[in-house]
Structures are given as structure tokens and as C-alpha cells.
DNA sequence: AAATTCTCCTGAAGGC
DNA sequence: TGCCTTCAGGAGAATT
């Protein structure tokens, strides 16, 4: 399931293959993604040149001369770089053909998206209200503290709220809260500045470590070359219900918070 | 306004 | 073996 480190891994992997290249053709086999791919998109963007490959939250941004292609991997999406003939599978929904190589998008659950905008991309409706990037200086303990005052919802829900901070998905929220000794259901407004400083640092650390390891492969994340990420072996609580806490050996617990599985140590996290 | 629930989708896993 | 049912999850939309 692509979270920020997986999307960043993807971005870094595809960039050298497509930067400066001209799009020969967009081939759409399945337009029914999160939002339908516009029927006339292929003819609109044919011939566009990739000027930059950026990322905002979990959106990949292919910045081209007349606009920007937004790609979201949803929870089962992946992009592979193909350099030879390769028969598309049933979930290979579109190809971006750059001549020398092509990007093939696969997404069994179809929660992902392919959108084109000619307006300044940061003003796009999907991006304009997003919180800061977690690895930026704008995101820190003070920021979290200020934005959680008066909020009674679980701290885990708040750090996963894209309007507060982007890119912190379920896996990394669980891990960061464990490293910070904070119980995931603790009301966000009842946590001290000091503890938020520690949480913000751990969020940055966990995300950066995961990026350095090429992301987390639990089931279906593979990078542009078809290789898995190696952060899964670093996970301390996620998906480890019943296993011993790496610090105190208490059994890791599992609880649903806001429709999502949460994993934590009831002894270490208060 | 903030908090909660719903929604899209398919594959894996579990029950009988 | 096979046909259910349940669940997982990103995040915008809808509802409370």
C-alpha cells in the first residue's frame, strides 16, 4: 500500500527514465479509476515533454510544458518502467509511452487516479487544502501542538488527516506513535508540546528511514523495476498483533480507530 | 466546524 | 474443492 515513502521511491525510480522525454502516446485500457480518465486526455497530452517529476503528498506530479499530470497510486497502484515488449495484464490500466521506454500503471483495486490540469498545479482542488509535507521544516512539534488544540479526536486520526499533515498513512502513523510512547487513541488536544516534538521527530525519522530502504512491501508494493521495499522488516508494531513488543515484550494489541486497524503496545504507549 | 460514516474496488483469507 | 462472507485501505464525499 503506497504511502509517502513508496510514492517517493516511485518518483525517484521513474525520474531518470522520463525526464526530458516527449510523450508519444497515452494508452488507456480502463478509464474507470477513482475518477474517470477523460476520454480526450490522450489527444490532449500527446507530445508533451516531461520537465520535472515532483511529489505533493501522495500525488505524483509529472510537470509538462502545457500542464501537469497528477497520478495517485491509491492503495494498490504501481508504476513500472518497461523497455521491451510486455503484454499488459488485466489490471494494467494505462501506459505512458515515451518511445524509448513506457510507464505502465497497474492498480487492481482502482483507487488510484490519472488527472490532467493546465492551471498552476498547487492550486488544484485536490492539492490546495493539503497540510504541509512531513519532511519540511514547516512541520514540527509546535505545528502539531497548535493544530491539535481543542481537538478531541484520537491523535492517530489527527496525524493521518491530510489537512493537518500529508503522507502519514496507517503504517507510519502506528510506527511513529509507538516510537513516541503515545497511545493512538489519546485525544489529540490532551498531549503536551514536548510529546508532540518527539512525535514530529519520529514521523520524520520513520518516513526518511522508509524512503532510504525503498519503501515498505507488505503484499503488493513493488518499485519501478519490480523490486520490493525493505522497510517491512523494520516495523515494530504494524501488522504484529500478538507478537512481543520489541521494548517490553508485552503482546502488541490491535484496535480499530476510525475504520482502520491500529497496532500498539498497551504498556509502552500511554 | 468538527467528527464520523460512506464510498469506490479486488484479492486474500477464513468459515462451512 | 468451492462457494460464500468478511476485511483491508487512501481519501474525497456525504452525513451527523
Amino acid at each position: 500500500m503506497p504511502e509517502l515513502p513508496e510514492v517517493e521511491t516511485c518518483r525517484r525510480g521513474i525520474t531518470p527514465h522520463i525526464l526530458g522525454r516527449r510523450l508519444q502516446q497515452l494508452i488507456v485500457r480502463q478509464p474507470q479509476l477513482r475518477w474517470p480518465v477523460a476520454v480526450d486526455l490522450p489527444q490532449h497530452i500527446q507530445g508533451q515533454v516531461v520537465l520535472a517529476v515532483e511529489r505533493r503528498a501522495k500525488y505524483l506530479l509529472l510537470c509538462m510544458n502545457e500542464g501537469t499530470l497528477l497520478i495517485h497510486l491509491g492503495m494498490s497502484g504501481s508504476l513500472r518502467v518497461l523497455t521491451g515488449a510486455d503484454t499488459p495484464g488485466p489490471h494494467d490500466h494505462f501506459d505512458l509511452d515515451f518511445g524509448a521506454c513506457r510507464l505502465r500503471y497497474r492498480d487492481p483495486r482502482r483507487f488510484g487516479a490519472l488527472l490532467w490540469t493546465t492551471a498552476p498545479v498547487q492550486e488544484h482542488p485536490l492539492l490546495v487544502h493539503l497540510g504541509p509535507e512531513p519532511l519540511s521544516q514547516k512541520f514540527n512539534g509546535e505545528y502539531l501542538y497548535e493544530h491539535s488544540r481543542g481537538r478531541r479526536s484520537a491523535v492517530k486520526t489527527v496525524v493521518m488527516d491530510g489537512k493537518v499533515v500529508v503522507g502519514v498513512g496507517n503504517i507510519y502513523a502506528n510506527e511513529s506513535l509507538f516510537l513516541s510512547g503515545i497511545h493512538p487513541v489519546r485525544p489529540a488536544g490532551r498531549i503536551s508540546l514536548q510529546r508532540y516534538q518527539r512525535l514530529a521527530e519520529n514521523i520524520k525519522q520513520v518516513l526518511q528511514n522508509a524512503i532510504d530502504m525503498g519503501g515498505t512491501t507488505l503484499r503488493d508494493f513493488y518499485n519501478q523495476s519490480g523490486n520490493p521495499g525493505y522497510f517491512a522488516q523494520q516495523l515494530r508494531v504494524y501488522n504484529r498483533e500478538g507478537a512481543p513488543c520489541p521494548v517490553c515484550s508485552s503482546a502488541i494489541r490491535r484496535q480499530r480507530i476510525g475504520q482502520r486497524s491500529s497496532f500498539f503496545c498497551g504498556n509502552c504507549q500511554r
Side-chain angles (χ1 to χ4, degrees), chain A residues 35-230:
Chain A
W35 295 281
V37 178
V39 176
D40 56 357
L41 182 58
Q43 71 180 62
H44 267 192
I45 66 172
Q46 189 166 12
Q48 295 285 313
V49 174
V50 179
L51 305 178
V53 184
E54 297 176 353
R55 178 188 59 73
R56 175 73 173 105
K58 299 174 189 171
Y59 291 90
L60 280 169
L61 309 177
L62 273 53
C63 307
M64 306 177 114
N65 43 308
E66 289 178 350
T68 306
L69 210 45
L70 286 79
I71 299 175
H72 199 292
L73 301 178
M75 70 157 282
S76 61
S78 63
L79 281 171
R80 282 175 301 149
V81 176
L82 304 177
T83 51
D86 193 303
T87 306
H91 303 302
D92 291 336
H93 304 317
F94 66 83
D95 286 357
L96 291 162
D97 181 2
F98 291 98
C101 75
R102 64 173 57 197
L103 281 187
R104 177 160 290 170
Y105 179 89
R106 172 175 296 182
D107 184 9
R109 270 159 263 191
R110 287 198 261 142
F111 283 5
L114 175 67
L115 299 166
W116 170 253
T117 179
T118 52
V121 69
Q122 301 296 347
E123 295 171 21
H124 191 279
L126 290 170
L127 305 187
V128 72
H129 294 119
L130 293 176
E133 289 287 324
L135 295 174
S136 70
Q137 291 196 336
K138 190 177 173 191
F139 176 73
N140 53 38
E142 285 77 9
Y143 174 91
L144 269 184
Y145 181 78
E146 287 169 18
H147 282 79
S148 60
R149 291 308 91 188
R151 292 189 66 162
R152 280 171 291 184
S153 47
V155 59
K156 177 162 179 278
T157 304
V158 171
V159 299
M160 290 180 67
D161 181 349
K163 292 187 288 300
V164 176
V165 58
V166 301
V168 185
N170 200 28
I171 297 174
Y172 301 109
N174 280 298
E175 295 297 303
S176 304
L177 287 164
F178 172 78
L179 291 171
S180 306
I182 300 172
H183 196 291
V185 300
R186 175 169 285 278
R190 304 287 301 276
I191 293 174
S192 69
L193 172 60
Q194 191 175 18
R195 299 187 84 195
Y196 270 127
Q197 286 171 331
R198 188 165 173 207
L199 178 58
E201 285 167 18
N202 281 322
I203 287 172
K204 290 172 190 279
Q205 185 81 52
V206 164
L207 292 175
Q208 190 59 57
N209 283 350
I211 291 170
D212 294 342
M213 304 200 68
T216 299
T217 297
L218 287 177
R219 184 176 303 136
D220 48 16
F221 172 72
Y222 296 92
N223 68 13
Q224 76 292 336
S225 305
N227 298 315
Y230 295 99

Side-chain angles (χ1 to χ4, degrees), chain A residues 208-255:
Chain A
Q208 190 59 57
N209 283 350
I211 291 170
D212 294 342
M213 304 200 68
T216 299
T217 297
L218 287 177
R219 184 176 303 136
D220 48 16
F221 172 72
Y222 296 92
N223 68 13
Q224 76 292 336
S225 305
N227 298 315
Y230 295 99
F231 192 73
Q233 36 196 292
Q234 307 286 318
L235 297 177
R236 291 166 167 88
V237 290
Y238 185 81
N239 222 13
R240 295 191 66 238
E241 180 184 18
C245 166
V247 172
C248 75
S249 297
S250 301
I252 299 296
R253 291 169 55 196
R254 174 186 186 135
Q255 183 178 331

